[in-house]
Amino acid sequence: MTIPAGTQLGPYEIVALIGKGGMGEVYRARDPRLDRDVAIKVLLGAAAEDPERLSRFEREARAASALNHPNILIVHDVGSENGRPYLVTELLEGESLRELLDRGPLKTERALQLGTPIARGLAAAPGMGLVHRDLKPGKRLLTRDGGVGILAFGRGRVSEPLEGSGG
């Protein structure tokens, strides 16, 4: 069930649907308080009512919000409106690694350019007590400015932070 543009979700105004996944949908939205666009991941339908999926969603929000790394998506807010749990993050624009790979194999140099920041982001997660466990090219976003963002820690396993990690 797609949420129509103009719908208010908490203080955010839905602008457009930008993606769908196994647990819900992701929208571009406007945060009028800070005059910026954000991404909102919304659990819909059965996923919003399933205690296990809701728990996974909440775990993703907590885990991702604890991480502070330039290659990991920043979480701004979490909430629920009319039975719709949602997670608000920075809006990264670009293409997924899956979309890039669908066009053909990468040259070694390009693979290293992309793999290095992905590895750095993933290496930061265990230091904060999180193991990703759902590595897919579709969850790596290549931003328009050449950066790489790691999306979605929904299947992450939260454990004790590594000693000396500061987390």
Side-chain angles (χ1 to χ4, degrees):
M1 179 179 112
T2 301
I3 300 172
T7 301
Q8 287 293 128
L9 204 57
Y12 308 97
E13 181 180 341
I14 299 296
V15 174
L17 177 68
I18 56 176
K20 293 183 180 191
M23 290 179 44
E25 298 172 337
V26 180
Y27 294 86
R28 174 186 216 101
R30 188 80 186 142
D31 180 350
R33 300 166 302 167
L34 296 174
D35 194 30
R36 68 178 172 188
D37 285 347
V38 295
I40 299 184
K41 181 177 183 178
V42 182
L43 281 184
L44 296 174
E49 297 170 11
D50 180 336
E52 184 177 325
R53 285 185 175 182
L54 190 54
S55 175
R56 237 174 66 193
F57 185 76
E58 291 168 353
R59 184 173 57 244
E60 176 181 352
R62 281 191 306 277
S65 70
L67 298 172
N68 182 12
H69 191 277
N71 300 109
I72 297 175
L73 189 71
I74 296 169
V75 173
H76 294 307
D77 195 6
V78 65
S80 184
E81 181 87 16
N82 298 324
R84 295 178 181 149
Y86 62 86
L87 173 67
V88 181
T89 68
E90 68 180 309
L91 177 65
L92 295 179
E93 297 185 273
E95 69 177 335
S96 72
L97 180 56
R98 166 57 43 223
E99 291 167 323
L100 179 64
L101 292 172
D102 284 347
R103 293 197 303 270
L106 300 179
K107 294 185 182 214
T108 303
E109 183 178 323
R110 183 67 172 140
L112 289 172
Q113 284 176 333
L114 299 175
T116 300
I118 291 170
R120 286 185 182 135
L122 291 172
M128 298 298 292
L130 182 71
V131 178
H132 193 288
R133 296 191 331 161
D134 193 20
L135 301 176
K136 297 177 187 172
K139 294 188 178 183
R140 308 296 159 261
L141 189 74
L142 313 177
T143 61
R144 291 182 181 155
D145 65 1
V148 179
I150 298 172
L151 314 174
F153 277 80
R155 292 188 182 181
R157 179 176 54 84
V158 179
S159 61
E160 292 297 317
L162 295 177
E163 191 173 317
S165 69

